[in-house]
Amino acid sequence: MELEESILDGIRRAMRQLYDSCAARAMAVSHRYVGDADARKDIVQESFIQVLTHIDDFQYRGKGSLIAWLLRIVVNLSIDY
């Protein structure tokens, strides 16, 4: 919950930590749905933008819930693509 609270407080280091720890995984998830590498990069970037701009809507449900929420956004954007 610390990371989520730091992101809510607008701490850029926490935002970067989220990106560094999850970007490769998000890219792998998107790869399951989208064949185009450039499109996958755009999807992952848009996913992080959505998470960081809508972090107020996030509901903490235990360890890993932020990552699960991020990956759900990646899946939805990948399917929409």
Side-chain angles (χ1 to χ4, degrees):
M1 179 108 176
E2 245 178 67
L3 182 62
E4 294 86 353
E5 289 174 357
S6 297
I7 292 171
L8 275 168
D9 291 340
I11 299 173
R12 290 185 175 268
R13 190 173 5 159
M15 295 175 195
R16 182 62 189 203
Q17 182 182 351
L18 175 66
Y19 180 83
D20 289 344
S21 65
C22 299
R25 193 167 169 190
M27 191 67 73
V29 168
S30 183
H31 183 67
R32 295 179 192 156
Y33 299 92
V34 179
D36 184 343
D38 289 332
R40 285 194 305 267
K41 290 177 187 175
D42 291 342
I43 288 167
V44 170
Q45 178 179 353
E46 181 60 30
S47 298
F48 278 97
I49 290 170
Q50 284 190 20
V51 165
L52 296 175
T53 57
H54 298 289
I55 194 71
D56 293 334
D57 299 334
F58 173 70
Q59 295 179 4
Y60 183 78
R61 295 190 175 138
K63 185 177 179 180
S65 59
L66 179 61
I67 295 170
W69 185 50
L70 167 67
L71 295 179
R72 173 52 39 200
I73 292 170
V74 171
V75 168
N76 289 341
L77 289 175
S78 297
I79 290 171
D80 288 348
Y81 173 79

